[in-house]
Amino acid sequence: MLKVSSGEDGYLNNWIHTCDSCQATACTLYCHTDSAYLCHDCDKRIHGDNTTALSHHRVWICDACEAAPAAVTCSADAASLCIECDIQVHSVNPLASRHTRVPIPPIAGQICSSSNVQQDDQLPGAMFDTKNEIAALTMELNLEIDEDETDSWLFLEPGNTDNQTMNGFTYGEQLDEYVDVVDTCTESFGPEQSSDQQQLVCVNCPEDSGSDSVVPVQTPRSKNQPLQEETQLQKQQLHSTYFNSEQSGSKAAFTNYPSSSLRVPMPMIAPAGIPNSFTGFPTTTTTTTETFPNPWLLIPLQFTSMNREEKVLRYREKRKSRKFEKKIRYASRKAYAETRPRIKGKFARKTDKGIEDDQMFSKEDNGYGVVPSL
DNA sequence: TGGGACGGAATCACCACAGTCTCTG
DNA sequence: TTCAGAGACTGTGGTGATTCCGTCC
């Protein structure tokens, strides 16, 4: 991680977050208890000396953006990702969406060394020693649940949604809130600078590159190539993920990420007696373990009233200025659609003349049936 | 003050087809 | 294990139909 220059919000221009303690080096982990980004040395200094500090809830920083706390580990990509990057990376195509991701538990104990963390066998956030252990857990979690069944988890009591609130939010608001989270690039900057900043930050987004004159081949994407796509799957995942969390506005606020892609029903709805906020890892309850084998997945963080108020205000501002603009993912398809014959707005079959024109066009294009670029 | 009528805005479904993905042999 | 082929799936825009909401009487 290289330090470039620091922005007003504490983020470096290349998304790298500086250590909140020494302010000199890039952070490598985030302590939820202290609400601080720390480098290894500072973490060792702060948390290394007493058992109380060691129990602080710490997680590694996302491998992709290197600015937010990692929430899941993808064994397929061998990377730890924050929620936003996870969404971006794994919503690219159905194949990627099938990657099994394991929510990252907090760092247990002291970090071994400051030089070799997050490498190979020392996956971020792991109380697991090796990738093998993570893979084992992954298989454990890889429960196949019917889509309809998964959907049913999204609603506590169908037909009685009016009065269902959590922590003062209605579910509808929660739903809105997660849409906020999706809009990652915009979220991270002020409204005025968002578009420009996006151009700078999301250089790997195909939409930003402006080079998608043909339908892109959906190859596996590296961890540094996040995409901005809002698919229905995303919404389902987000809905599942943030349904019960009151802190959706900040990616730094999460430590757990029970993605629906894990095909694990969201447990936070079922256990009626479990409070909405937890301060630590919950003890196993009968209800919890019956519906979900990993109780540590359901721990929303406790927020201070100030934090919450701040997030709520921010969320409300966002909601006011939200715009649901259609995003064009495939310029080639847009071009095709615009040139297609229509009858009352509906696509119509190509006429013979249209086919002839297309053939001529193809000949002019050296015989390749390349979609004309915009 | 409540209810119906009206108009504008918003939302949704429909269509064809190139390209991609998945499955099977 | 690799390859080829078939079939399923996705995404794209303009229009009309439908729904929603605010205003007026």
Side-chain angles (χ1 to χ4, degrees), chain A residues 63 113-124 129 131:
Chain A
D63 285 350
S113 77
S114 59
S115 60
N116 63 351
V117 288
Q118 298 192 31
Q119 290 177 358
D120 296 331
D121 288 342
Q122 185 78 16
L123 274 180
D129 292 327
K131 284 181 179 177

Side-chain angles (χ1 to χ4, degrees), chain A residues 96-137:
Chain A
S97 71
R98 290 183 182 177
H99 287 184
T100 305
R101 283 96 80 195
V102 181
I104 293 179
I107 298 166
Q110 198 171 342
I111 299 167
C112 301
S113 77
S114 59
S115 60
N116 63 351
V117 288
Q118 298 192 31
Q119 290 177 358
D120 296 331
D121 288 342
Q122 185 78 16
L123 274 180
M127 56 175 62
F128 312 102
D129 292 327
T130 65
K131 284 181 179 177
N132 289 338
E133 288 188 40
I134 292 180
L137 179 61

Side-chain angles (χ1 to χ4, degrees), chain A residues 8 51 81 111-112 117 129 133 151 188 203 211 351 354 371:
Chain A
E8 288 181 5
T51 53
L81 303 171
I111 299 167
C112 301
V117 288
D129 292 327
E133 288 188 40
D151 288 345
S188 304
V203 292
S211 61
T351 59
V371 179

Side-chain angles (χ1 to χ4, degrees), chain A residues 152-211:
Chain A
S152 71
W153 280 90
L154 303 181
F155 302 96
L156 197 57
E157 289 180 30
N160 187 25
T161 55
D162 290 342
N163 298 325
Q164 293 179 14
T165 59
M166 280 188 177
N167 297 330
F169 283 102
T170 65
Y171 286 178
E173 284 175 322
Q174 293 286 349
L175 210 64
D176 278 344
E177 201 164 4
Y178 78 60
V179 176
D180 257 3
V181 179
V182 172
D183 197 5
T184 54
C185 292
T186 308
E187 293 288 315
S188 304
F189 303 100
E192 298 83 9
Q193 56 185 166
S194 61
S195 60
D196 292 338
Q197 292 279 21
Q198 282 181 49
Q199 300 263 339
L200 291 172
V201 174
C202 300
V203 292
N204 294 318
C205 296
E207 294 85 351
D208 296 329
S209 66
S211 61

Side-chain angles (χ1 to χ4, degrees), chain A residues 324-343:
Chain A
F324 293 97
E325 290 177 354
K326 188 175 183 179
K327 285 185 179 178
I328 302 301
R329 298 174 60 189
Y330 301 99
S332 58
R333 290 182 174 178
K334 175 182 168 69
Y336 266 120
E338 286 175 345
T339 58
R340 276 195 194 123
R342 297 167 185 276
I343 299 175

